[in-house]
């Protein structure tokens, strides 16, 4: 007797034998067609490329100004962290904390 693994469809709860995927592919439920699992070639390399790209974009996004205002010839620009600092110094520390957490700390 071979030890075959059973997997349950998360949509219809049908128990099915797990089939190995060779190469790229998607295994679907034979009753409802829901996706059970998939395999992509080079998925780790792809995730690493996305992560490195996100890091570069995060640095660029926090280095350059997000808003600029020109009044009477004076140009005032601020970055995201500069906006958080201005909110904090103006006494709006809950909003400053929320902006800092959701735009700088969490991503
Ligand atoms: Zn199903």
């Amino acid at each position: 007797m071979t030890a075959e693994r059973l997997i349950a469809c998360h949509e219809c709860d049908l128990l099915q034998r797990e089939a190995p995927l060779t190469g790229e592919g998607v295994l679907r439920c034979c009753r409802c067609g829901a996706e059970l699992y998939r395999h992509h070639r080079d998925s780790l390399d792809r995730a690493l490329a996305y992560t490195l790209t996100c890091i570069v974009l995060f640095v660029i996004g926090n280095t350059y100004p997000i808003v600029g205002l020109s009044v009477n010839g004076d140009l005032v620009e601020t970055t995201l962290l500069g906006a958080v600092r201005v909110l904090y110094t103006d006494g709006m520390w809950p909003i400053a904390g929320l902006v800092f957490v959701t735009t700088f700390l969490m991503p």
Side-chain angles (χ1 to χ4, degrees), residues 9 11-14 16 29-34:
C9 175
E11 296 291 329
C12 69
D13 289 335
L14 178 68
Q16 302 164 76
C29 175
C30 61
R31 183 193 298 170
C32 69

Side-chain angles (χ1 to χ4, degrees), residues 56-78:
V56 169
L57 291 177
F58 184 78
V59 170
I60 291 171
N62 286 296
T63 304
Y64 289 96
I66 59 167
V67 67
L69 185 64
S70 178
V71 178
N72 292 333
D74 292 333
L75 179 64
V76 179
E77 294 178 331
T78 187

